[in-house]
Amino acid sequence: RQMCIRDRIYVVDSEDAERIIKLLLERGPMEQSAIVKATGISKTQVSRILSLLENRGYVERKNAGRRNLVYLR
């Protein structure tokens, strides 16, 4: 099967996505930068994973000034 452009943009490690979800379950809403620090996943990869999770309805990001707060839905 040939991948479309959108699939290529959102290729993520499912283990990393699971780590982020577990972290949010344990700690509640967090700043995106705190997720990067707590998981050790790069800023770019966290952003991609959160975009994918947000598009699928698992999380919501709210702009809080210059920061993003991430909530589980």
Side-chain angles (χ1 to χ4, degrees):
R1 162 174 112 82
Q2 192 173 14
M3 291 177 75
C4 71
I5 301 273
R6 186 171 167 190
D7 289 338
R8 289 184 190 159
I9 292 170
Y10 291 113
V11 172
V12 297
D13 184 333
S14 62
E15 288 181 18
D16 286 345
E18 188 175 319
R19 286 172 56 203
I20 291 171
I21 290 171
K22 284 182 179 179
L23 185 66
L24 291 168
L25 280 170
E26 291 170 3
R27 298 190 186 178
M30 296 180 68
E31 291 182 10
Q32 188 168 324
S33 60
I35 293 171
V36 171
K37 289 178 187 172
T39 61
I41 304 168
S42 73
K43 289 189 331 184
T44 302
Q45 190 68 357
V46 166
S47 181
R48 287 181 181 155
I49 292 168
L50 290 175
S51 291
L52 177 68
L53 293 173
E54 192 169 33
N55 288 338
R56 293 186 177 173
Y58 293 108
V59 300
E60 181 177 355
R61 284 188 277 191
K62 293 187 179 177
N63 191 346
R66 300 184 80 203
R67 299 176 270 175
N68 282 326
L69 288 177
V70 182
Y71 300 83
L72 282 176
R73 282 192 172 171

